[in-house]
Amino acid sequence: PEEITLEHYAKLKAQNKDFAAWISIPGTPLSYPVMHTPGNTEYYLRRAFDGSYAVSGTPFLGEGCDVNSTNVLIYGHRMNNDTMFTPLLDYAKESFWQEHKQIRFDTLDKLQTYEVVAAFYIDIPTSEDTDAFRWYNYSGDISGEVFTDYVSRIKACAYYDTGIEVNEGDKL
């Protein structure tokens, strides 16, 4: 495969000012641009990289975060044709995690690798479910008790223990 360089990402940024990063899981088909549109976070929910209509959309950064945040939330669809974020469902099996422990998240100025700390599936809670884990409230820069609470909650939801320790100051 072609080696990815920061120059590659600079060319994508020149094509679309909203390009912020690239997410991929080596050994899987998951490999997509990540968009960032402050003030209109869900702009790419149903848009392709070029801004045209696309039912699958393009992955995008969550409200309140950017590529340098402590906790970067990336939204994308799980399509029925096994594209987009569908490979994430395979993390329910520890054997898949054993083979794919890392996720690439390259920004315009850094080629980065993240370790998969926890894998879990969670429904979006209803307003009546007052004790539910509202993971989307932890977007952006978090620290102290909020960081500790978030890490404890994701580990409590996890399908299995990865054994990976998370400390304040780590980026998620």
Side-chain angles (χ1 to χ4, degrees), residues 29 32 55-56 77-86:
Y32 295 100
V55 70
S56 61
H77 291 106
R78 178 202 54 84
M79 302 301 291
N80 289 333
N81 64 359
D82 294 334
T83 61
M84 299 300 289
F85 281 3
T86 301

Side-chain angles (χ1 to χ4, degrees), residues 49-149:
F49 179 83
D50 66 4
S52 64
Y53 177 80
V55 70
S56 61
T58 305
F60 58 91
L61 295 179
E63 185 73 36
C65 66
D66 62 43
V67 296
N68 296 308
S69 294
T70 308
N71 190 36
V72 178
L73 294 184
I74 302 168
Y75 291 91
H77 291 106
R78 178 202 54 84
M79 302 301 291
N80 289 333
N81 64 359
D82 294 334
T83 61
M84 299 300 289
F85 281 3
T86 301
L88 294 177
L89 298 176
D90 292 332
Y91 279 108
K93 298 175 288 218
E94 189 172 357
S95 60
F96 181 83
W97 169 75
Q98 290 287 347
E99 306 252 330
H100 303 91
K101 291 183 178 183
Q102 297 181 331
I103 295 177
R104 294 282 311 262
F105 184 66
D106 299 334
T107 64
L108 292 168
D109 50 16
K110 289 184 200 162
L111 302 176
Q112 304 175 104
T113 303
Y114 285 75
E115 291 181 283
V116 176
V117 172
F120 59 93
Y121 181 85
I122 191 166
D123 289 322
I124 296 175
T126 64
S127 57
E128 295 83 37
D129 195 359
T130 57
D131 293 331
F133 175 31
R134 288 176 165 70
W135 47 269
Y136 47 83
N137 287 337
Y138 294 86
S139 181
D141 288 325
I142 58 174
S143 60
E145 289 179 24
V146 174
F147 183 90
T148 303
D149 180 55

Side-chain angles (χ1 to χ4, degrees), residues 19-41:
F19 173 75
W22 193 276
I23 188 166
S24 63
I25 301 175
T28 76
L30 196 154
S31 184
Y32 295 100
V34 177
M35 311 307 277
H36 186 219
T37 51
N40 191 5
T41 308

